[in-house]
Amino acid sequence: MTQPIPQSPRTDPAPQEAALIGVRNFRDVGGLPTTDGRRVKSGRLFRSGHLAHATESDAEFLGSLGLHTVFDFRNGADHALEGPDVELPGVLNVNIPLSDPADGSEFWKMVRGGELAQLRELLGEGKAAARMSRSYRTMIRTRTAEHSRVVHALAEDSVPALMHCAAGKDRAGLSIAVTLLALGVEREAIVADYLESNAPHNRYRVRRGSDAPEARAPEVMELLAPLFDARAPYLTTAFDAIDEEWGGVERYLAEGLGLAPETLDRLRDRLLD
């Protein structure tokens, strides 16, 4: 079941956002509060699902944002399924895969085409949610080089930036969360922003391999729900991994991501009011 979306922690209104047609889960993370009383600047950091199906009007809107860089966290399998992003003139597109193209390909093939009995075995009795939590912990622990690359780029010259994966929820959500931690944003505010991916207009459209009614039967959709929901425990277990592995955010930023104090200062000057 989809979780309720908490009230947004933003107090500053975000810029007017177009009604995007082919891009899901788009938003400006501006306005989120930091622990020292500052806020993320509007118009500097955006997140979304993939841009492969962006319409002409979508591309026009995205082009109006003045983006310097689009960070695409999809892998080869995602690109084969969805296609490349639309080209935005003058915008640097940086692909940083956050999962191996072959990792889980059979799993996702089963998800999209598997029969009910197979899905019960694969996803039932809490297995789907447990898989999601494990993947978040694994990304935090093993993808420090990729997350370091993103945050260093933002500190140097890559702003305004848009981060996306396929749904804009997991890989992009975790990369946004890491960036917001580096900015000193409150954890509760990071989780609240993450949970906005559950809004009906933001949710990823689940593709099943069959159009038969049984392919979208209530039990099938219930089994799939943990994979396509944004659930607070997924993100908080990533925070727990930071605390367990590095003893807290400060050491994670310094040792895990290799962020020097002067780099953090530049990052915060670029992205905070």
Side-chain angles (χ1 to χ4, degrees):
M1 179 178 292
T2 302
Q3 296 183 2
I5 301 170
Q7 185 175 3
S8 173
R10 300 177 183 86
T11 57
D12 299 329
Q16 184 72 29
E17 293 175 4
L20 292 166
I21 297 168
V23 179
R24 307 286 286 183
N25 208 8
F26 173 88
R27 58 190 176 275
D28 184 340
V29 301
L32 294 178
T34 65
T35 55
D36 62 359
R38 303 172 73 183
R39 288 190 178 271
V40 180
K41 291 178 181 178
S42 294
R44 307 297 278 171
L45 187 60
F46 304 90
R47 57 181 296 171
S48 75
H50 70 78
L51 311 184
H53 301 158
T55 64
E56 186 175 342
S57 63
D58 293 342
E60 184 177 350
F61 169 71
L62 294 169
S64 75
L65 300 175
L67 295 172
H68 180 288
T69 303
V70 170
F71 292 99
D72 178 0
F73 301 119
R74 296 179 299 157
N75 57 47
D78 297 316
H79 287 175
L81 178 68
E82 297 147 354
D85 284 344
V86 296
E87 290 190 16
L88 301 174
V91 179
L92 178 65
N93 192 296
V94 178
N95 181 220
I96 304 177
L98 284 182
S99 57
D100 188 289
D103 181 32
S105 59
E106 289 303 312
F107 170 82
W108 286 107
K109 183 177 179 181
M110 185 77 71
V111 166
R112 290 189 165 92
E115 300 299 328
L116 181 57
Q118 294 173 309
L119 293 175
R120 283 183 188 140
E121 176 65 25
L122 189 69
L123 305 174
E125 298 180 347
K127 292 177 185 175
R131 180 186 179 98
M132 294 300 293
S133 291
R134 283 197 306 273
S135 72
Y136 275 55
R137 294 175 70 90
T138 298
M139 274 196 284
I140 280 291
R141 287 191 163 121
T142 65
R143 298 296 185 166
T144 51
E146 290 86 347
H147 287 143
S148 174
R149 180 181 170 191
V150 170
V151 179
H152 276 90
L154 294 175
E156 296 305 326
D157 61 1
S158 296
V159 175
L162 167 66
M163 297 187 194
H164 79 79
C165 51
K169 173 177 73 78
D170 301 316
R171 290 166 288 185
L174 196 52
S175 299
I176 285 283
V178 167
T179 303
L180 295 175
L181 286 174
L183 292 172
V185 174
E186 299 170 357
R187 290 191 185 191
E188 294 80 3
I190 298 173
V191 172
D193 170 72
Y194 167 77
L195 292 177
E196 288 185 28
S197 292
N198 286 326
H201 65 282
N202 284 337
R203 291 179 67 83
Y204 185 72
R205 290 190 177 99
V206 182
R207 296 184 183 182
R208 293 280 286 148
S210 169
D211 293 328
E214 58 268 22
R216 300 187 69 87
E219 185 178 353
V220 170
M221 301 315 292
E222 184 177 347
L223 287 166
L224 294 177
L227 305 178
F228 297 102
D229 287 350
R231 299 187 177 185
Y234 300 163
L235 192 53
T236 56
T237 198
F239 294 156
D240 291 344
I242 287 173
D243 294 338
E244 293 161 9
E245 188 86 7
W246 290 277
V249 171
E250 187 173 341
R251 278 186 56 202
Y252 167 67
L253 298 175
E255 299 175 15
L257 303 189
L259 290 167
E262 55 269 25
T263 305
L264 280 174
D265 288 341
R266 283 198 303 274
L267 179 74
R268 291 165 182 171
D269 286 344
R270 286 183 178 275
L271 289 173
L272 297 178
D273 285 325

